[in-house]
Amino acid sequence: MTLTIQDGDKFALIAIENVFAQLPEEFPGGQLADGAWVLPTLPVEIGEHWREWVGTIRFDRMARSNIILIRIVHSSTP
């Protein structure tokens, strides 16, 4: 299964940096039983407008994170 965020979806993302985990370097990430995703890096490029919206320090820390948790749900009121 592939991680996709479609029009009408809401998502929450937690990015954690400096996590010690003994995962193979080629680990692509995976989906948990509850539908959440665990990834070793952000799955998309982050637009520069986010740097202004979340702040430079948070933006840089998010980009350096090595464990990403994402939960996606479809919503009729995105």
Side-chain angles (χ1 to χ4, degrees):
M1 183 171 255
T2 304
L3 171 71
T4 57
I5 300 174
Q6 301 174 357
D7 287 344
D9 287 349
K10 290 184 180 182
F11 69 93
L13 180 143
I14 298 174
I16 307 168
E17 66 177 321
N18 297 325
V19 173
F20 176 75
Q22 292 181 331
L23 298 173
E25 283 189 34
E26 65 277 358
F27 175 67
Q31 191 171 25
L32 302 176
D34 70 351
W37 287 83
V38 178
L39 304 164
T41 59
L42 289 169
V44 296
E45 276 294 312
I46 307 169
E48 281 297 313
H49 58 280
W50 281 96
R51 182 179 295 277
E52 182 179 330
W53 291 350
V54 302
T56 302
I57 294 171
R58 283 189 178 148
F59 180 90
D60 291 343
R61 291 179 71 188
M62 187 170 51
R64 286 192 310 263
S65 296
N66 64 329
I67 293 289
I68 310 295
L69 303 171
I70 300 177
R71 182 72 163 115
I72 303 165
V73 295
H74 187 72
S75 174
S76 59
T77 57

